[in-house]
Amino acid sequence: MAGFGHGTRGYPRSHGRTWQRGGFPRAGAGPDRATLGIIGAICAVAGFFALGVVLGPVAMFCGWQAMGRSWSGEREVPALVALILGAIDTLLAVIALAGAATWGHGLL
């Protein structure tokens, strides 16, 4: 049946580049791992200056997703940086909040 776009030639677009209704590529159904690692690293660095309580966990989540949700296998550097800096960022923000909540004059 060669009518209605079902010709003998294949579909002209590659499967990885076609966009679905949600706006993401069909193959990955979301941002790729390298992009998530970079976004996580940027959030981790920005979290040291402002909103560390929010940006630290976001960086850890992006780093974990960029690593493929596993510790084994080959890891990309931005994903590992995002995960480690996000954890440090979150820890420092929690310590700062705990210090600000005490009866003293602030941190330590």
Side-chain angles (χ1 to χ4, degrees), residues 5 16-17 19-20 32 35-36 47 52-53 62 66 76 80 83 87 108:
R17 291 290 191 194
W19 294 86
Q20 284 184 332
D32 59 343
T35 305
L36 279 174
V53 174
C62 288
E76 302 225 1
L80 195 59
L83 189 65
L108 303 174

Side-chain angles (χ1 to χ4, degrees), residues 25-71:
R26 187 183 308 176
D32 59 343
R33 291 182 180 180
T35 305
L36 279 174
I38 293 170
I39 289 172
I42 290 172
C43 286
V45 171
F48 283 114
F49 300 106
L51 297 173
V53 174
V54 176
L55 292 176
V58 168
M60 290 186 344
F61 176 76
C62 288
W64 181 251
Q65 292 295 318
M67 287 173 45
R69 294 179 291 196
S70 68
W71 289 107

